[in-house]
Each structure stands twice: as C-alpha cells, then as structure tokens.
Amino acid sequence: MSTRKTIGGAMGAIIVLIVAQILAQLVASLFVLVKIPEGICNIIAGIIYVGLAFVLSELFSKRLLKIKIENLGMPKFSIKAKWIIVGVLLPVIVKAVYLFFFSGKYVSSGMNSNQIFSTLSAGIAFTGIAAGFVEEMVFRGVILNLLKEKWNIKVAVLIPSVLFGLVHIIGMDFSIISSLLVLIAGTMVGIMFSMVAIESGSVWNSGIVHSLWNILIIGGGLSISEKADEYSVMTYVLDSKDFVFTGGEFGIESSIIALLGYVIVTLAAICMIKKKSKSVISIKKQTLNEKLTSTFSLFCSTLGTGGGS
C-alpha cells in the first residue's frame, strides 16, 4: 500500500466521522422542529450517527480503499464479556476513588424531569454509545489497520493515539498545562483502546469499553469536577484544585487517577496478547512435531516394507 493511499485513507476516515456526526445532528434538529421531545431526538441522533458512520466506512473501505471492512477491525458484531466487565469497572473505580478519598460536596444543577431525560439520553445514546463506537471504527479500525499494513504495529498504535489526544484539544481554549494533560491522557487512553482492539481482534470490544467510559464519566449523570457542571444532573465539586488530580480544564479524564487506570488496563491487555501469542506458537510447534513424527513413522514404515521385500 502506498504512503499516499495510507494517509488519504486515514484522512478519509476522519471525514466520514465528521460527515456522519453533522448529518445525524441535522436530522435530529428536523425532528425537534416537528415538536418531538429533545430526549427522543438525542436517541435518534445517536442511532443515525453510528449507523451512518458504519455504512459510510464500509463504502469507503470497499469502493475507495479496496479493502474488506473485516480487515479493518470490523468483523461480525461480537463483544467479549471480559471487556464489558472492564468497561464498567474502569470508570466506576476511578469515580469511587474521588468520591471516597477526595473531599468535596454534591451540587445539583436543578434540572427538571424533561431536562434530565434530555441530558441523559444525549449522554448515553450520542456521547456515549454512538461517539464511542464511531471513534473506535475510525481510529482503531480504519486508521490503525492502514498504518499497520503500511508500516508496523508500533506506528499503527502510536499515531492514531496521538491524533486522538489532539482531537480533544482542537478548538478548545485550554491553558498550556491543560492541553499537555489532555494530550498525554488522550494518547494513553488511545493506546489502551488500541490494545483492547488488538487483543480482541475487533473495534467492537474497544468500542464497548470506550462507550461505557463516556456514559459513566461524561454521560451527564454525576460529574466530578473543580466546579459545578451545568450540563450534568449532579456534580461532585472537588475541594482540591491540584490539576494533577482534577485534570485541569478538561476534567478528571486527564487526571493522574484516570491515567493510572488507562495504564493498568493497557498492561492487562498486553499480557493477554502475549499469552495468546505464546499459545498460538505452542500449538504450531505441537502441530509441527506431530507432522514430523507422522512423516518419520511413515518413512520408517516404508523402509521396513522395502527391507522385507
């Protein structure tokens, strides 16, 4: 694969993400105009976003890249139970650390029932499930596999991860320190998602981990921050103003606590990959030994038959 095709494919995948997101939001806006509740529109937007992104990715890979989508980390939809468990435990433990070990106070946003439904539906359907899976299709699906085909797995993991971190900075009015925190955390979480995708053989597993993180950390239910979040039903406002623990302007996703969680999951995934690799090598050796033994036995048998005649 040429460098031009690789870079063009990566850029095309990001364009697919942007186009799918814009179209989904436009369609949802039309439903709002006909007086459909905003919460329902958020769910519709999420469904359209993930569905459209997949269809466009499939067309893009088949028509332009001439690559089967299965070879871009998107085989038949299947999710391993262990990654669902990890997807739940990671954000729950990170939040629990703050709630149990960091002083603060709970502040309600004062939302009414309709506002709560709208906030949670957007957090779960769009920001959570749809954004989580679409970003994995693009970064750990198309981009990672194109780079792996052109260069190697190290480049394939690192470049999309750094891009993933940069995407969360672009357009944001962050300080230099906050931008650095986001870049480091974004890159590390990108590496984590990459390891999950590589271990499982598909973006559907990294997608569920990504989606559950989004839902439980930034889904609009309970946020944890230096100041009250008007876009969450409830905020646990931290007394600490130390950016290492609060994550600066981006929030706890770029904190040392979250970063430690990313590293632990990454190391666990790497161990699984190595164990699986050793298992495959062992099976191959066993198969080879069996073939050699069979061949040797056949050879000896042939010699015996020849000697007898």
Side-chain angles (χ1 to χ4, degrees), residues 281-297:
I281 292 172
S282 178
I283 291 171
K284 285 182 178 180
K285 283 183 178 179
Q286 184 178 350
T287 303
L288 180 61
N289 287 334
E290 288 174 354
K291 285 182 177 180
L292 289 172
T293 302
S294 176
T295 302
F296 182 71
S297 298

Side-chain angles (χ1 to χ4, degrees), residues 15-217:
I15 291 171
V16 163
L17 181 153
I18 295 170
V19 169
Q21 186 176 106
I22 292 173
L23 289 176
Q25 291 175 327
L26 284 175
V27 173
S29 298
L30 294 177
F31 282 105
V32 171
L33 294 177
V34 295
K35 306 301 181 182
I36 292 178
E38 189 176 341
I40 300 297
C41 292
N42 291 332
I43 296 172
I44 292 172
I47 294 171
I48 293 173
Y49 183 23
V50 71
L52 188 58
F54 179 76
V55 170
L56 291 176
S57 295
E58 188 169 32
L59 288 172
F60 178 66
S61 63
K62 186 177 180 181
R63 305 288 185 184
L64 297 177
L65 298 177
K66 306 298 181 183
I67 300 173
K68 291 181 179 179
I69 199 164
E70 292 84 359
N71 295 331
L72 294 175
M74 289 173 260
K76 184 178 179 181
F77 188 83
S78 177
I79 296 174
K80 295 181 179 180
K82 65 182 177 183
W83 291 120
I84 297 176
I85 294 170
V86 170
V88 172
L89 287 178
L90 177 59
V92 166
I93 291 173
V94 168
K95 270 195 168 180
V97 168
Y98 282 98
L99 297 177
F100 288 106
F101 299 104
F102 287 79
S103 62
K105 60 180 180 180
Y106 291 95
V107 177
S108 172
S109 62
M111 294 182 183
N112 58 39
S113 58
N114 287 332
Q115 290 172 322
I116 290 174
F117 176 56
S118 177
T119 297
L120 294 181
S121 63
I124 295 171
F126 196 88
T127 306
I129 297 172
F133 276 100
V134 172
E135 287 174 9
E136 290 309 300
M137 282 190 273
V138 169
F139 289 96
R140 260 60 66 176
V142 179
I143 299 177
L144 185 148
N145 284 285
L146 287 178
L147 294 178
K148 183 175 70 173
E149 178 71 20
K150 175 60 183 175
W151 288 290
N152 56 60
I153 192 63
K154 291 180 180 178
V155 172
V157 169
L158 188 59
I159 291 181
S161 299
V162 173
L163 283 174
F164 189 70
L166 287 172
V167 164
H168 290 78
I169 298 174
I170 296 172
M172 306 299 288
D173 188 24
F174 289 156
S175 65
I176 294 176
I177 292 178
S178 289
S179 296
L180 186 59
L181 285 174
V182 175
L183 182 59
I184 293 171
T187 300
M188 190 63 236
V189 78
I191 292 173
M192 180 188 79
F193 292 141
S194 297
M195 292 300 105
V196 174
I198 291 168
E199 189 282 331
S200 62
S202 84
V203 299
W204 310 132
N205 291 281
S206 57
I208 195 64
V209 175
H210 193 158
S211 296
L212 288 169
W213 174 268
N214 284 359
I215 290 169
L216 295 171
I217 296 294

